[in-house]
Amino acid sequence: MEPIKAGIVGLGRLGKVHASNVQNYIKDLELVAACSVVPEELKFAKESLGIQKGYESFEKMVDEAEIDAVIIVSPSSLHTKQIEYAFAAGKHVFCEKPLGVSLPEIEQVKKVIEARPEQVFMLGFMRRFDESYRYAKEIVESGEIGKVTLVRCYGIDPSSGLESFVKFAKNSSSGGLFIDMAIHDIDLVRWFTGEEVKQVWAIGNNFAYPELAEYGDTETGAALMKLKNDAIAILVSGRNANHGYHVETEIMGTKGMLRVAQEPEKNLVTIFDDKGVRRPCSEHFPERFKQAFINELTEFARCIREGDKPDVTAKDGLESTKIALACTKSFETGELVALEDE
Amino acid sequence: MEPIKAGIVGLGRLGKVHASNVQNYIKDLELVAACSVVPEELKFAKESLGIQKGYESFEKMVDEAEIDAVIIVSPSSLHTKQIEYAFAAGKHVFCEKPLGVSLPEIEQVKKVIEARPEQVFMLGFMRRFDESYRYAKEIVESGEIGKVTLVRCYGIDPSSGLESFVKFAKNSSSGGLFIDMAIHDIDLVRWFTGEEVKQVWAIGNNFAYPELAEYGDTETGAALMKLKNDAIAILVSGRNANHGYHVETEIMGTKGMLRVAQEPEKNLVTIFDDKGVRRPCSEHFPERFKQAFINELTEFARCIREGDKPDVTAKDGLESTKIALACTKSFETGELVALEDE
Amino acid sequence: MEPIKAGIVGLGRLGKVHASNVQNYIKDLELVAACSVVPEELKFAKESLGIQKGYESFEKMVDEAEIDAVIIVSPSSLHTKQIEYAFAAGKHVFCEKPLGVSLPEIEQVKKVIEARPEQVFMLGFMRRFDESYRYAKEIVESGEIGKVTLVRCYGIDPSSGLESFVKFAKNSSSGGLFIDMAIHDIDLVRWFTGEEVKQVWAIGNNFAYPELAEYGDTETGAALMKLKNDAIAILVSGRNANHGYHVETEIMGTKGMLRVAQEPEKNLVTIFDDKGVRRPCSEHFPERFKQAFINELTEFARCIREGDKPDVTAKDGLESTKIALACTKSFETGELVALEDE
Amino acid sequence: MEPIKAGIVGLGRLGKVHASNVQNYIKDLELVAACSVVPEELKFAKESLGIQKGYESFEKMVDEAEIDAVIIVSPSSLHTKQIEYAFAAGKHVFCEKPLGVSLPEIEQVKKVIEARPEQVFMLGFMRRFDESYRYAKEIVESGEIGKVTLVRCYGIDPSSGLESFVKFAKNSSSGGLFIDMAIHDIDLVRWFTGEEVKQVWAIGNNFAYPELAEYGDTETGAALMKLKNDAIAILVSGRNANHGYHVETEIMGTKGMLRVAQEPEKNLVTIFDDKGVRRPCSEHFPERFKQAFINELTEFARCIREGDKPDVTAKDGLESTKIALACTKSFETGELVALEDE
C-alpha cells in the first residue's frame, strides 16, 4: 500500500523536525511537497529529505501538488487562513499549536473544521502522544488515583536559550509567556481533568533578565486556576531552567498522585562523579518530545487511513487559547480574571 | 555542669514527643516539672520519663518549681497568656506554634517578649532545624542558585489520619487548613526569601471528605502569593496524601533550583518488588521531623547557656499568622487579599 | 528510492517483534518473504504484516524470493547453517544472538563471514543500540570517567515468566543461565572495556524453583571475571526479578561511575500512593529494548545502503560465547576456569 | 539516675567522634577518664569535652579511674590485650572493629569474653545500628523478600582521601583492602543471611594509584563468595569513589530485593542546576554513620543498665576476620580459598 502523500508548510526549527520525522520514521506518510518563502529551506527539503516539489505559495501547493494531507508549521498568524484554504480543498490537516492568535479567527476556523467532519483535522498538542503522558492518562482514567483534586504543570525552557530569546523578544512578540509556553500545560489540565477553567490569577517576575519586561515578556510566571468543579490547577511557566528543559506534570487525586517527569531525565543513565549523583536532563523540546512528535503524525496518518477522529480537536485549540489569554490579562492587570460561560 | 532545669506544659501527642526528647536525647536540658489537667499524663511523665513534680496549674508550676525554662505545648489558645506569665517570672520560654490565635494577642505578647531581651524566647518552627532544610538554606545564602524567584511548599498530612481528623473537626476548630497546616510553609517562604507577602489568592476543595466543608475545613487547598519584591510563592496544603506525610519545598532561583524532600523518603532503603521500585515514605510529622524536634530544643538550651538569641522570633510568629489569616480570608471570600503594610 | 527487500526466518516471539518493527517503523527495509514451519505464523505474516510470500524451506526462500537481505530469528542451533547458506547466496544477514551453539561451528561461520567482507553481517546484540547504552558508551569513550576498573552487569528476567520457563526447561535446554541470559552482559563487558576475559568463577542457586537444578538450569547465578588487564567484571544473571525485567549495567572508572538503568524505569511517571513512592518498571525485554530493536535493524539497513560495516561482528559472537561457556564450566565444576589465549 | 561512668582509650579521628558523641548526645553515659599517649589529645579531652582525668597508661586508667565501662578506640593491634585487661578488672567493654589482627589472639579474647557473660562486651559494627540497615533487616526478617539468594556489598572510600591514604600506606600497613574496608561488609553478609562463608575468590587492581601495589594495598577489589547454603555474596571494596563515600548494600531474595543507600544521599535535598539533577552525597564515614555511632553507644549503655546482651558478639568479630583473611589470601594467590569448618 502506498503511503499517504502530504505537503508541509514551514521549514523552520520545528518544521524540519516534522519533515524529517515523516521522511525517516513514519511508514504511512510521505512528503512530496514543501512550501517556504526561504529558498534554502526548499533546497534542504529536496536534497536532504527527498521532497521533490518546492512551492513559495501555500495556495499553489494545495492546488497543484498531488497531496491528500497538509502539515502546517508556519508562523502562528497564518494558521487559521491556511487551515481554511486546505480544508476547502478537501485536504486533511495537521496544524502545529496554536490554532490561531485571536479568538474570533479561532472560532471561525473551528466552524470550518467542524463543518467537514469527514476530513481529519488534528492540532499539535504532542504531549498527549508522549508515552509517559499516555501512561499517566491511563492511570487517571482507570480511577486508580481517585478523583483529580489538583493538577500542577511546569513548563520551563532551558536557560541556554534565554539569551537568544531576549534578542528575539526585542524584535517580535511571542504573545507573552502564557500564550507561548503555558498553552501545552493548559491543554494538559483540560485533558487530565475533563474540566474547564473558571477563574485565574497570574503573576510573574523578571529577575534574571529584567529587559524582558520592556518587551512585554516574562521570565518566570505562575497562575492559580479554579476549575468549574472546584478542582485546582497550578501553572509555572518560565524561560530559565538551568538544568535543562523542565516539563513536569503532577496530578493529585483523592487516592494517589502521579508525577510525569518529576526530574526531566534524559535517559536511564545515572552518573556518579565529583559533582554528586546525577541524572543528565533533556536539553530542549525536540529531545524531550522526540518520540511524541513521531507518534502524533503516525496517529494523524492512522486517522486518515482508518477514517478516525483525532483526540485533539479544534475545540481544544479554542479553549486552551481562551485560558492562556485570561492568564495574560490577569498578569497584566494584577486582578482575578473569570472565564465567561458560553 | 548541671543541665538546665525546665518545666513542660501540655503532654498530648506533641508534648510527649518533646518531653521524651528532652529526657532521652538532650544532655543540657532536664525536665523536673510537668503540668497537665489530665492525671494520666502526669503519671506517665513521672513513671516513664522521671519527671518528679506534677502540677495541674501552670501558674503554680512557674511559681513553685525550681526551673529556669518553660516548654509550652498546651492548646494554642493558651499560648500567649502562658508566655506572658512565664516571661514575667523571668523564665526562658520555648513555645510550640502557633504563637497565638488572634492578631491582637500575638501583637501584645510580642511586645512582652521584646521588652525582656535577656530572656530566651523561641517559637517551634522546627523545620528550620531539619538537616535538609538547613543545608538548603546554606545553599540559598551562598548565592549558588542566584536570586529566589519562586518558592513552592507542599504540606500534606497522611490520609491515614483523615478519618480521625474529620471526627475531630466536627467538635472543635483547627482554625482551618491554612492556619493549621500552611503556617510552617509560610514560615519557610519568609525564611528562604527574606521577603514579606503582599497579596494572596487561595482556593480549595473537599472531594474525598465533603463533610469537612460543613465544619469549615478543607481537604486540599492552594494559595498563590505575590511577595513584595514580586517573587512568587505557591502553597499546597492538604490532609489526604495516600503515600505518607508529604512535606516538600522547592526554591527556584535564577541560577538553579532546590527541592527538599521531593519524595518524602523514610530512609535510604529502596524496595524492588512486585509493586515496582519504591521508596517507603515518612508516615507522619513525628517521624519526618524527629531529629529537628531534638535539634530545636538543643538550640533552645544552647541559647540559654550561651546568652544567644534564637533565629525564630516572635515577629516570625506574628507575620506568618497574618499571612495564614489572609489565605483563610481569600479562601472564604473567593477574592484576592492584600496584606497591609505596617 | 525503494526500501531494501528482505526475508525473515523464524516468527516466534522475537521474530514477530522484528517483523513488526520492519513493517511499521523502518522506512528503508521491507519484508517481502517469511519462512516458518508453522502455518499459522506464515498466515499471520501475510495477513497482519503484509508479507506476501511464505516459505517452509529457508533455502527455498533464499533461492527464490527476490531479496537482498535475510533476518534470522530461528532456533539457535540453525543459525550457523542458515548464515552460511544465505552468505553463499550473496545475501546480507542479520542474525539474532547467539551466533551459534558450539565453538567449532561458530569459528567456521566466522571464517565464512569474514571471507565476504562486501556483504553486511550483523549480530543482534541490540543493547548496543539502546539510547542509554550509547550515551554511556560515549561518556566512557570521552574519558570522562577515566580508565574502567570494574563493570557490573545484572540481567534478570521477570518472575512473571518463571513458571512457564520451568515448564520449558523440562522439555528443552536453554543452554543454561550463562549461555541464555548472560551473553548480552558478556558482550557489554567486552564493549565497554575493550578487553578480553582471562579467568572466571561462577556460582548459583535455585531457592525459589529447586526443580530448575534437575533440568540443568539455574535461577540466580553470579560470575566474577578477571580481564586481561586486571579490570574486574561481575555478572549477576537470574530468572526471578519480582519487580520486572532488571537489566542494569555499572561501569566504574578511576574518575567516575555510570549506571545504566539502575532502576528499570518504564517511563517518566512516578506514582505516589499507599504503596509508597514508586517507579513502574519495564516488564520484559520487548518493552525495555523496544527502540533498540528498531535501531539495530535501522543500522543494518544503513550499513547495506551505505556499504558500511556494523559495529557488532562475528568475532563478538565468538568471544562472548567462549566466555559464557567458561562460566558454565566453572559453575558446573565449582572451579576457576581460565580462557586460553589464541 | 547518674549516667554510667566510662573511660576511653584512643582519641584519634574516630576516638574523637565517640568521645564527642558520649559527652553531647548520650544521656546515660559519661566519660570521666581518657587515655592517650598524645598529650594534645588529653588536653583536648579535658578542655573541649570536660573529661577530667587523663592517663598515659591504659592499665592505670582501668585500675584507678572510677569507671564501670571502657571504650576502646586504640590501634587495632592493642585491642585484644586491652579487652582482656579491662574484662579481668570487671569492666564492660565497647571495642572498635576489628576485634584483633590475628586469629589466635582473637580466639583467645573470645574465650575471655565468653567466660564472663555478666559483663557487657560489644564490637563496633555500627552499621547494624544505622536506621536504614535496621529497617532493611526488619524487612528481611519479616520474610517479605523471601529467602535471601544474593547479597552485594559496596564499601568504597571517597577519592578525596586517596592521596593521604597512599602516603599512609607507604609507612604502615592497613592490613590490606579486605581487612581494612571489607570487614563491615562481611559482617553485613553474615547478619543479613545468618550464614557462614564457604569459599571465596578475590581479585583487584590499582589503575589510579599503581604505587599502592608496592605497599601491598589495592585501590579497587572484588570478591565472590559462596555461602554454606549456596547463597551468593559479592563484595566490592575500594578507595576511589569520586562522588563521596559509597556504602551500598543489596539483599536479593526470592520475593523481592532491597537496596540500602543505592545512592549515598547526604540528605533529602535535590539540586537542579547546570550540572543536571543531582543528589549531594555523604562525604565520609563520620557523616554517613553519624547517628549509627550514637545509636551503638546508646545501645551499649542500655545493655549495661538493663543487663542485656548486645547483638554484636565476639564470635562476629572472629568470623568476619576469618573471611577477610580468606579474601586477602585469595587475592594474593589468585586461587579459590575455602574456609574450613570448625
Side-chain angles (χ1 to χ4, degrees):
Chain A
M1 201 154 44
E2 284 294 290
I4 296 157
K5 293 199 173 359
I8 190 166
V9 58
L11 286 162
R13 187 185 187 192
L14 184 51
K16 282 202 180 77
V17 168
H18 281 307
S20 165
N21 282 343
V22 171
Q23 299 307 76
N24 293 312
Y25 302 115
I26 304 174
K27 275 222 152 173
D28 201 20
L29 209 52
E30 191 182 347
L31 286 174
V32 297
C35 172
S36 169
V37 292
V38 185
E40 290 72 26
E41 291 183 356
L42 291 181
K43 196 168 169 247
F44 171 85
K46 187 165 190 175
E47 292 176 4
S48 299
L49 298 173
I51 304 176
Q52 293 307 319
K53 298 201 180 145
Y55 297 87
E56 280 182 49
S57 149
F58 177 76
E59 290 74 16
K60 205 172 172 195
M61 180 175 80
V62 170
D63 293 346
E64 297 185 3
E66 290 177 358
I67 53 179
D68 294 316
V70 172
I71 294 170
I72 298 176
V73 206
S74 56
S76 306
S77 55
L78 304 176
H79 287 183
T80 52
K81 218 176 52 175
Q82 292 179 339
I83 295 169
E84 287 177 32
Y85 193 87
F87 242 63
K91 310 297 181 193
H92 304 289
V93 173
F94 172 90
C95 181
E96 253 310 311
K97 68 100 200 168
L99 184 45
V101 290
S102 78
L103 287 186
E105 67 176 26
I106 293 175
E107 271 158 1
Q108 188 196 316
V109 80
K110 179 167 171 280
K111 278 178 206 147
V112 170
I113 290 165
E114 289 172 355
R116 303 179 73 120
E118 73 289 351
Q119 282 168 245
V120 171
F121 173 79
M122 185 168 166
L123 191 63
F125 282 145
M126 80 290 184
R127 292 195 194 163
R128 298 197 191 186
F129 297 90
D130 173 70
E131 205 184 328
S132 298
Y133 279 105
R134 285 202 286 209
Y135 184 79
K137 177 72 170 168
E138 277 168 31
I139 294 177
V140 171
E141 298 285 299
S142 76
E144 207 176 311
I145 63 161
K147 181 169 179 180
V148 175
T149 58
L150 185 150
V151 178
R152 172 175 60 88
C153 295
Y154 276 22
I156 313 176
D157 260 349
S159 307
S160 57
L162 224 170
E163 204 152 341
S164 74
F165 179 79
V166 173
K167 278 178 205 156
F168 163 82
K170 260 184 217 176
N171 302 312
S172 64
S173 169
S174 70
L177 186 68
F178 296 100
I179 298 283
D180 186 40
M181 289 293 296
I183 192 102
H184 283 293
D185 290 314
I186 290 168
D187 182 58
L188 290 178
V189 169
R190 296 180 63 253
W191 192 48
F192 278 116
T193 63
E195 288 286 326
E196 298 298 342
V197 171
K198 193 174 170 185
Q199 229 178 345
V200 304
W201 189 45
I203 57 180
N205 57 54
N206 285 301
F207 292 167
Y209 282 80
E211 58 268 52
L212 274 173
E214 297 167 34
Y215 317 129
D217 221 303
T218 316
E219 182 194 320
T220 301
L224 179 62
M225 316 202 296
K226 180 190 269 197
L227 306 194
K228 288 202 173 152
N229 72 342
D230 279 340
I232 299 163
I234 295 168
L235 302 182
V236 173
S237 301
R239 308 194 181 281
N240 190 19
N242 292 269
H243 54 287
Y245 175 59
H246 193 111
V247 169
E248 173 185 358
T249 305
E250 172 181 295
I251 305 118
M252 226 181 252
T254 49
K255 294 184 189 163
M257 177 165 107
L258 300 181
R259 284 185 180 169
V260 182
Q262 176 177 240
E263 300 178 2
E265 296 142 353
K266 192 187 199 76
N267 50 39
L268 291 167
V269 176
T270 307
I271 303 179
F272 296 67
D273 64 11
D274 53 12
K275 293 167 199 78
V277 175
R278 61 202 170 94
R279 290 293 286 263
C281 296
S282 283
E283 286 172 47
H284 37 51
F285 74 84
E287 179 181 8
R288 170 63 183 89
F289 291 108
K290 188 186 171 195
Q291 192 61 42
F293 282 120
I294 296 172
N295 293 346
E296 68 175 358
L297 283 175
T298 301
E299 171 68 2
F300 178 58
R302 193 196 62 77
C303 285
I304 296 173
R305 186 66 78 191
E306 304 183 6
D308 233 340
K309 301 297 271 181
D311 182 48
V312 198
T313 64
K315 181 175 195 299
D316 293 322
L318 175 64
E319 297 301 332
S320 56
T321 306
K322 278 185 190 170
I323 299 165
L325 290 170
C327 288
T328 305
K329 186 175 164 192
S330 174
F331 173 67
E332 286 170 358
T333 62
E335 297 300 325
L336 277 183
V337 172
L339 281 107
E340 306 109 53
D341 289 306
E342 282 151 283
Chain B
M1 202 155 44
E2 285 293 290
I4 297 158
K5 292 198 172 0
I8 189 167
V9 57
L11 286 163
R13 188 184 185 192
L14 185 50
K16 283 202 180 77
V17 169
H18 281 307
S20 165
N21 282 343
V22 171
Q23 300 306 74
N24 292 311
Y25 302 116
I26 304 174
K27 274 223 152 172
D28 202 20
L29 209 53
E30 191 183 348
L31 286 174
V32 297
C35 171
S36 170
V37 293
V38 184
E40 289 73 27
E41 291 183 356
L42 292 181
K43 194 165 171 251
F44 171 84
K46 187 165 191 177
E47 292 176 2
S48 300
L49 298 171
I51 304 176
Q52 293 307 320
K53 297 200 179 145
Y55 296 87
E56 279 183 50
S57 150
F58 177 74
E59 289 74 16
K60 203 170 172 195
M61 179 174 80
V62 171
D63 293 346
E64 298 184 3
E66 291 177 358
I67 53 179
D68 294 316
V70 171
I71 295 170
I72 298 175
V73 207
S74 55
S76 306
S77 56
L78 304 176
H79 286 185
T80 52
K81 217 178 54 175
Q82 291 179 339
I83 295 169
E84 287 176 34
Y85 192 87
F87 242 63
K91 310 298 181 192
H92 304 290
V93 172
F94 173 91
C95 180
E96 253 310 310
K97 68 97 197 168
L99 183 45
V101 290
S102 78
L103 286 185
E105 67 176 26
I106 293 176
E107 272 158 0
Q108 189 196 316
V109 80
K110 180 166 169 282
K111 278 178 206 148
V112 169
I113 289 164
E114 288 172 356
R116 303 179 73 120
E118 72 290 351
Q119 282 168 245
V120 172
F121 173 79
M122 186 169 167
L123 191 64
F125 282 145
M126 80 291 184
R127 291 195 196 165
R128 298 197 190 187
F129 297 91
D130 173 69
E131 205 184 328
S132 298
Y133 279 105
R134 286 201 287 209
Y135 184 81
K137 176 72 169 168
E138 277 168 31
I139 293 177
V140 171
E141 298 284 299
S142 76
E144 208 176 310
I145 62 161
K147 182 170 177 179
V148 175
T149 58
L150 186 150
V151 178
R152 172 174 60 88
C153 296
Y154 276 22
I156 313 176
D157 260 350
S159 307
S160 57
L162 225 170
E163 202 152 343
S164 74
F165 179 79
V166 174
K167 279 179 204 157
F168 164 80
K170 259 185 219 177
N171 302 313
S172 65
S173 168
S174 70
L177 187 68
F178 295 100
I179 298 282
D180 185 41
M181 289 293 296
I183 193 101
H184 283 293
D185 291 314
I186 290 168
D187 182 58
L188 290 179
V189 168
R190 296 181 63 252
W191 191 50
F192 277 115
T193 62
E195 288 286 327
E196 297 298 341
V197 171
K198 195 174 169 184
Q199 230 178 345
V200 306
W201 189 45
I203 56 180
N205 57 55
N206 286 301
F207 292 168
Y209 283 79
E211 57 268 52
L212 273 174
E214 298 167 35
Y215 319 129
D217 221 303
T218 315
E219 181 194 323
T220 301
L224 179 62
M225 316 202 296
K226 178 189 271 196
L227 306 194
K228 288 203 171 151
N229 71 342
D230 278 341
I232 299 162
I234 294 168
L235 303 181
V236 173
S237 301
R239 309 193 181 282
N240 190 18
N242 292 269
H243 54 289
Y245 175 59
H246 194 110
V247 170
E248 172 184 359
T249 305
E250 171 180 295
I251 306 119
M252 227 181 251
T254 50
K255 294 184 189 164
M257 177 165 108
L258 301 180
R259 284 186 180 169
V260 183
Q262 177 177 238
E263 300 178 2
E265 297 142 352
K266 190 187 200 75
N267 50 39
L268 291 167
V269 176
T270 306
I271 302 178
F272 298 66
D273 65 11
D274 54 11
K275 293 165 199 80
V277 176
R278 63 201 168 95
R279 291 293 287 260
C281 296
S282 283
E283 285 171 49
H284 37 50
F285 74 85
E287 178 182 10
R288 169 64 183 88
F289 291 108
K290 187 186 171 195
Q291 193 61 42
F293 282 120
I294 295 172
N295 292 347
E296 69 174 358
L297 282 176
T298 301
E299 171 67 2
F300 177 57
R302 192 196 63 76
C303 285
I304 296 172
R305 185 67 77 191
E306 303 183 7
D308 233 340
K309 301 296 273 181
D311 182 47
V312 198
T313 65
K315 182 175 196 301
D316 292 323
L318 175 63
E319 296 301 332
S320 55
T321 306
K322 278 184 189 171
I323 300 166
L325 290 170
C327 288
T328 306
K329 187 175 163 193
S330 175
F331 174 66
E332 287 169 358
T333 62
E335 297 300 326
L336 277 184
V337 171
L339 281 107
E340 305 110 52
D341 289 307
E342 281 151 284
Chain C
M1 203 155 41
E2 284 294 288
I4 298 157
K5 293 200 170 357
I8 190 167
V9 58
L11 286 162
R13 187 185 186 193
L14 184 51
K16 282 203 181 77
V17 169
H18 281 307
S20 164
N21 282 343
V22 171
Q23 300 305 77
N24 292 312
Y25 302 116
I26 305 175
K27 275 223 152 172
D28 201 21
L29 209 52
E30 191 183 348
L31 287 174
V32 298
C35 171
S36 169
V37 292
V38 184
E40 288 74 24
E41 292 181 355
L42 292 180
K43 193 164 171 253
F44 171 83
K46 188 163 189 178
E47 293 177 2
S48 300
L49 298 171
I51 305 175
Q52 294 306 317
K53 296 198 181 149
Y55 296 88
E56 279 183 51
S57 150
F58 177 75
E59 290 74 15
K60 205 171 170 195
M61 178 174 80
V62 171
D63 293 347
E64 299 185 1
E66 290 179 359
I67 54 179
D68 293 316
V70 171
I71 294 169
I72 298 176
V73 206
S74 56
S76 306
S77 56
L78 305 176
H79 287 184
T80 53
K81 218 177 52 174
Q82 291 178 340
I83 295 169
E84 287 176 33
Y85 193 86
F87 242 63
K91 310 297 182 194
H92 304 290
V93 172
F94 172 91
C95 181
E96 253 311 310
K97 68 98 198 168
L99 184 45
V101 290
S102 79
L103 287 185
E105 67 175 26
I106 293 176
E107 271 157 1
Q108 189 196 313
V109 81
K110 178 167 170 281
K111 278 179 206 147
V112 170
I113 290 165
E114 288 170 357
R116 305 180 72 120
E118 73 289 352
Q119 283 169 242
V120 171
F121 174 79
M122 186 167 165
L123 191 64
F125 282 144
M126 80 291 185
R127 291 196 197 165
R128 298 197 190 187
F129 297 92
D130 173 70
E131 204 184 329
S132 298
Y133 279 105
R134 286 202 286 209
Y135 183 80
K137 177 70 169 168
E138 276 168 31
I139 293 177
V140 171
E141 297 284 300
S142 76
E144 208 176 310
I145 63 161
K147 183 170 176 179
V148 175
T149 58
L150 186 149
V151 178
R152 171 174 62 88
C153 295
Y154 276 22
I156 313 176
D157 260 350
S159 308
S160 56
L162 226 171
E163 203 151 342
S164 73
F165 179 79
V166 173
K167 279 178 204 155
F168 164 81
K170 258 185 218 174
N171 303 314
S172 66
S173 169
S174 70
L177 186 67
F178 296 100
I179 298 282
D180 184 40
M181 289 293 297
I183 193 99
H184 283 293
D185 290 314
I186 290 168
D187 182 59
L188 290 179
V189 169
R190 295 180 63 253
W191 191 50
F192 278 115
T193 63
E195 289 285 328
E196 297 298 342
V197 171
K198 196 176 170 184
Q199 230 179 344
V200 306
W201 189 44
I203 57 180
N205 57 54
N206 285 302
F207 291 168
Y209 282 78
E211 57 268 50
L212 273 174
E214 298 166 34
Y215 318 129
D217 221 302
T218 315
E219 180 194 321
T220 300
L224 179 62
M225 318 203 294
K226 180 190 269 195
L227 306 194
K228 287 203 171 150
N229 72 342
D230 279 341
I232 299 162
I234 295 168
L235 302 181
V236 173
S237 301
R239 308 194 182 280
N240 190 19
N242 292 272
H243 54 288
Y245 176 57
H246 194 111
V247 169
E248 173 184 358
T249 306
E250 172 180 294
I251 305 120
M252 226 180 252
T254 50
K255 294 184 189 163
M257 178 165 107
L258 301 180
R259 285 185 180 169
V260 182
Q262 175 178 241
E263 300 178 2
E265 296 143 353
K266 190 186 201 76
N267 49 39
L268 291 167
V269 177
T270 306
I271 303 178
F272 298 66
D273 65 10
D274 54 11
K275 293 166 199 79
V277 175
R278 62 202 169 94
R279 291 293 286 261
C281 296
S282 283
E283 285 171 49
H284 37 51
F285 73 84
E287 178 182 10
R288 170 63 182 89
F289 291 109
K290 186 186 172 197
Q291 192 61 42
F293 282 120
I294 295 172
N295 292 346
E296 69 175 356
L297 282 175
T298 301
E299 171 68 2
F300 177 58
R302 193 197 60 80
C303 286
I304 295 171
R305 186 66 78 191
E306 303 182 8
D308 233 340
K309 302 295 273 182
D311 182 48
V312 198
T313 66
K315 182 175 195 300
D316 292 323
L318 175 63
E319 297 300 333
S320 56
T321 306
K322 278 185 187 169
I323 299 166
L325 290 169
C327 288
T328 305
K329 188 176 163 192
S330 174
F331 173 66
E332 286 169 359
T333 62
E335 297 300 327
L336 277 183
V337 171
L339 281 106
E340 305 109 54
D341 289 308
E342 281 151 284
Chain D
M1 202 154 39
E2 284 294 289
I4 297 158
K5 294 201 170 357
I8 190 167
V9 58
L11 286 162
R13 187 186 187 192
L14 185 50
K16 282 202 181 78
V17 169
H18 281 307
S20 165
N21 282 343
V22 171
Q23 300 305 77
N24 293 312
Y25 302 116
I26 304 175
K27 275 223 152 173
D28 201 20
L29 209 52
E30 191 183 349
L31 286 174
V32 297
C35 171
S36 170
V37 292
V38 185
E40 289 72 27
E41 292 183 356
L42 292 181
K43 194 165 169 249
F44 171 84
K46 187 163 189 178
E47 293 176 2
S48 300
L49 298 172
I51 305 176
Q52 294 306 320
K53 297 201 180 145
Y55 296 87
E56 281 183 49
S57 150
F58 177 76
E59 290 74 15
K60 205 170 169 195
M61 179 175 80
V62 171
D63 293 347
E64 298 184 2
E66 289 178 0
I67 54 179
D68 293 316
V70 172
I71 295 169
I72 298 176
V73 207
S74 56
S76 306
S77 56
L78 303 177
H79 286 184
T80 52
K81 219 177 52 176
Q82 291 178 340
I83 295 169
E84 287 177 31
Y85 192 87
F87 241 64
K91 310 297 183 194
H92 304 290
V93 173
F94 173 90
C95 181
E96 252 313 310
K97 68 99 199 166
L99 184 45
V101 290
S102 78
L103 287 186
E105 66 176 27
I106 293 176
E107 272 159 359
Q108 189 196 314
V109 80
K110 178 167 170 281
K111 277 178 206 146
V112 169
I113 290 164
E114 288 172 356
R116 304 180 73 119
E118 73 288 353
Q119 284 167 243
V120 171
F121 173 79
M122 185 168 166
L123 191 64
F125 282 144
M126 80 290 184
R127 291 196 197 164
R128 297 197 191 187
F129 297 91
D130 173 69
E131 204 184 329
S132 297
Y133 279 106
R134 285 201 288 210
Y135 183 80
K137 177 72 170 168
E138 276 168 32
I139 293 176
V140 171
E141 297 285 300
S142 76
E144 207 175 311
I145 63 161
K147 182 170 177 181
V148 176
T149 58
L150 186 150
V151 178
R152 172 174 61 88
C153 295
Y154 276 23
I156 313 176
D157 260 350
S159 307
S160 56
L162 224 171
E163 204 152 340
S164 74
F165 180 79
V166 173
K167 279 178 203 156
F168 163 80
K170 260 184 218 175
N171 302 313
S172 65
S173 168
S174 71
L177 186 68
F178 295 101
I179 298 283
D180 185 41
M181 288 294 297
I183 193 101
H184 283 293
D185 290 314
I186 290 168
D187 182 58
L188 290 179
V189 168
R190 295 181 63 252
W191 191 50
F192 277 115
T193 62
E195 288 286 325
E196 298 298 341
V197 171
K198 193 174 172 187
Q199 230 177 346
V200 306
W201 190 44
I203 58 179
N205 57 54
N206 285 302
F207 291 168
Y209 282 80
E211 57 268 51
L212 272 174
E214 298 167 34
Y215 318 129
D217 220 303
T218 315
E219 181 194 320
T220 301
L224 179 62
M225 317 202 296
K226 180 190 269 195
L227 305 194
K228 288 203 170 148
N229 71 342
D230 279 339
I232 299 163
I234 294 168
L235 302 182
V236 173
S237 301
R239 308 194 181 281
N240 190 19
N242 292 271
H243 54 288
Y245 175 59
H246 194 111
V247 169
E248 173 185 357
T249 305
E250 172 180 295
I251 306 119
M252 226 181 253
T254 49
K255 294 185 190 163
M257 179 165 107
L258 300 181
R259 284 185 179 169
V260 183
Q262 176 178 240
E263 300 178 2
E265 297 141 353
K266 191 187 200 74
N267 49 39
L268 290 169
V269 177
T270 306
I271 303 178
F272 297 67
D273 65 11
D274 54 12
K275 293 165 200 80
V277 175
R278 60 201 170 94
R279 289 294 287 260
C281 295
S282 284
E283 285 172 47
H284 37 52
F285 73 83
E287 179 181 7
R288 170 64 183 88
F289 291 109
K290 188 186 170 195
Q291 193 60 41
F293 282 121
I294 295 172
N295 292 347
E296 69 176 356
L297 282 176
T298 301
E299 170 68 1
F300 177 58
R302 193 196 61 78
C303 285
I304 295 173
R305 187 66 78 191
E306 303 183 7
D308 233 340
K309 301 296 273 180
D311 182 47
V312 198
T313 64
K315 182 174 195 301
D316 292 322
L318 175 64
E319 296 301 331
S320 56
T321 306
K322 278 184 187 170
I323 299 166
L325 289 169
C327 288
T328 305
K329 188 175 163 192
S330 173
F331 174 66
E332 286 170 358
T333 62
E335 298 299 328
L336 277 184
V337 171
L339 281 107
E340 306 110 53
D341 289 308
E342 282 152 283

